[in-house]
Every structure is written in structure tokens, then in C-alpha cells.
């Protein structure tokens, strides 16, 4: 046996080790790097959503085509961002996901602790605001102009509960079944579908909701509509975790 053989075996064993779940937040990654990944990732996501909305409305007056363009750009952009930044921070880009992971960690699962929660959420919110301003700057819009797009109707709020519950169910269901490697495709595909099957076009993200209030464009939301949207998203997260607990119920192992 050569001196290099044990090292190769150790590397293979390390590669085969289970990955953390549900957010796939890697151990030993510096918190500052994870915070930067969450800030940049959320900023890029909002820039994609807002920027593609501005581009779409400039190219066509057909609202259906505008939504198609907006949702298509979001699907591809979100998938790339998850694939790129997932190994760094878990690619949450969403306080609802981070809060859900913190809750599962408190109950003995893997996930972020209170300190990480306190860093992730502000980073996501700051990134979302920066992303909206960046998109407006790229298209020559006022850098900050509060949206006038009212989204306070009850049916839209119900849509946010459904959209967020489905997102949490998907992410944590993938974690429970050890299939988080499919997250870039699965999560992006779900958000793309939810654009169309939910009445709210699936914000499903408190940070993104806040960021989109800063732009009076296709993807904007009036500041007065933001608190109710966020409240429904948090309710949706609770519903999603409850569904995970029921659907992916772990059986007891018989002793002896």
C-alpha cells in the first residue's frame, strides 16, 4: 500500500458523507460568507424578478405575455442562484425558509441557530431592497419609488398562504427524503408553476415582498399591502411544516 492510498480513501469517504439538511448549510463555512451569499443571492433574485417585469412591459402590452416572460426569467435565474450559492449558505434567500429551518433545528433537526437566524434575515431583507434598486437603475427608473400596486384582496392573501406552504413542503420534503440535490430544479420549477396557479403570483417570501415595495413597476407591491402579505407567508410556513410532519412522518424502529 502506497502513502497516497489512505488519503484517497479518506477523500472518498468524505465525499460519501451525508449532506446537512434541510437548508444544506455546509459546516465550517464562515458566517460572513454565508451572510454575503444570502445578501447577494436575494439581491440577484429580486433584480431578476423586477428587471424582467420592467423588460416585459416594455416589449408587450399583453399581460399574459408579460407574466410569462417574468415567470420564465425567474425560473431560470432562481435555479442558477440555488445551484451556485446553495453549497455556501443553503440558498435560502427567504426569511420564511430560514425561520422554518431554525424551528426544526430547535426541535433536534439540522439547521441554523439563533445567531445565524439573526444574520441571515437582515441580509436577505437588505439584499432584496438592493436588488429592486439595482433593477430600477438598470432600466432608468427612479431608484426608489413606492409601488402603487395594491395587493390587499383576500383571495391574494389566500394565494400567499398556499404558495408559501407549498414551498416549505417541497424544500423540507426533499430534505426528509435525502433529495436536496434536486433543489435547484425542483424549487425553481415550483415557483414558476406557482406564478400561474396562485392568485398572488407567488411572492412566498417576506424579504422579496419588502424589496418589491420599493419599485413602482410590474412586479411591485404597495407598502400598505406588505404587512398582510408577510403575515400570510408566515402562516403558510407553519402550514407547510405541519404538512411535512404529517406526510413525512418517520416510523419508529422496533428494538430487539
Amino acid at each position: 500500500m502506497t502513502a497516497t492510498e489512505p488519503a484517497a480513501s479518506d477523500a472518498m469517504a468524505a465525499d460519501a458523507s451525508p449532506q446537512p439538511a434541510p437548508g444544506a448549510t455546509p459546516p465550517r463555512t464562515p458566517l460572513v460568507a454565508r451572510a454575503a451569499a444570502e445578501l447577494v443571492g436575494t439581491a440577484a433574485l429580486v433584480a431578476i424578478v423586477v428587471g424582467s417585469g420592467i423588460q416585459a412591459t416594455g416589449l408587450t402590452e399583453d399581460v399574459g405575455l408579460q407574466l410569462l416572460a417574468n415567470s420564465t426569467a425567474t425560473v431560470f435565474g432562481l435555479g442558477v442562484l440555488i445551484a451556485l450559492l446553495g453549497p455556501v449558505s443553503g440558498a435560502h434567500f427567504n426569511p420564511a425558509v430560514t425561520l422554518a429551518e431554525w424551528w426544526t433545528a430547535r426541535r433536534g433537526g439540522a439547521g441554523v441557530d439563533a445567531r445565524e437566524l439573526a444574520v441571515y434575515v437582515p441580509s436577505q431583507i437588505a439584499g432584496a431592497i438592493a436588488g429592486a434598486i439595482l433593477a430600477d437603475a438598470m432600466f432608468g427608473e427612479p431608484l426608489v419609488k413606492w409601488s402603487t400596486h395594491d395587493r390587499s384582496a383576500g383571495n391574494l392573501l389566500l394565494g400567499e398562504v398556499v404558495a408559501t406552504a407549498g414551498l416549505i413542503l417541497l424544500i423540507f420534503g426533499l430534505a426528509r427524503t435525502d433529495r436536496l440535490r434536486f433543489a435547484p430544479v425542483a424549487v425553481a420549477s415550483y415557483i414558476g408553476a406557482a406564478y400561474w396557479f396562485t392568485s398572488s403570483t407567488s411572492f412566498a417570501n417576506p424579504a422579496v415582498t419588502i424589496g418589491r415595495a420599493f419599485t413602482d413597476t410590474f412586479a411591485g407591491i404597495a407598502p400598505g399591502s406588505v404587512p398582510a402579505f408577510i403575515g400570510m407567508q408566515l402562516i403558510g410556513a407553519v402550514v407547510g411544516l405541519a404538512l411535512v410532519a404529517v406526510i413525512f412522518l418517520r416510523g419508529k424502529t422496533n428494538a430487539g
Side-chain angles (χ1 to χ4, degrees):
M1 181 177 291
T2 65
T4 59
E5 288 175 345
S9 299
D10 291 344
M12 291 176 64
D15 289 341
S17 61
Q19 295 300 306
T25 304
R28 296 181 299 278
T29 303
L31 183 56
V32 65
R34 283 179 274 158
E38 287 297 302
L39 189 150
V40 171
T42 311
L45 174 59
V46 174
I48 290 166
V49 172
V50 174
S52 61
I54 297 172
Q55 184 79 282
T57 55
L59 294 174
T60 178
E61 295 182 359
D62 187 315
V63 178
L65 288 178
Q66 292 171 357
L67 187 60
L68 178 61
N70 192 213
S71 60
T72 301
T74 301
V75 167
F76 287 121
L78 180 57
V80 168
L81 290 171
I82 295 172
L84 175 65
L85 299 176
V88 179
S89 68
H92 297 186
F93 313 146
N94 187 336
V97 173
T98 303
L99 283 165
E101 187 175 308
W102 169 76
W103 177 255
T104 61
R106 286 182 70 249
R107 298 175 63 83
V112 298
D113 59 25
R115 176 169 172 261
E116 293 165 325
L117 173 70
V119 172
Y120 268 45
V121 172
S123 298
Q124 293 158 353
I125 294 172
I129 295 170
I133 294 172
L134 175 61
D136 282 340
M138 287 193 292
F139 286 92
E141 299 287 338
L143 297 186
V144 175
K145 185 177 181 181
W146 298 117
S147 176
T148 56
H149 193 161
D150 180 75
R151 298 178 188 265
S152 59
N155 63 302
L156 302 183
L157 299 178
L158 176 60
E160 279 303 286
V161 174
V162 172
T164 311
L167 178 63
I168 296 298
L169 174 61
L170 171 61
I171 293 172
F172 287 78
L174 289 175
R176 285 284 184 96
T177 55
D178 194 27
R179 293 184 295 173
L180 276 172
R181 62 189 177 278
F182 299 120
V185 172
V187 173
S189 297
Y190 172 79
I191 292 298
Y195 255 87
W196 291 90
F197 79 76
T198 65
S199 56
S200 63
T201 67
S202 183
F203 285 47
N205 186 326
V208 168
T209 302
I210 293 170
R212 288 169 66 166
F214 283 73
T215 177
D216 192 21
T217 58
F218 178 80
I221 177 172
S225 300
V226 169
F229 253 56
I230 292 177
M232 293 304 104
Q233 290 158 359
L234 296 178
I235 291 173
V238 172
V239 172
L241 284 177
L243 290 173
V244 171
V246 172
I247 295 172
F248 299 98
L249 183 65
R250 293 190 177 104
K252 295 181 179 180
T253 302
N254 294 326

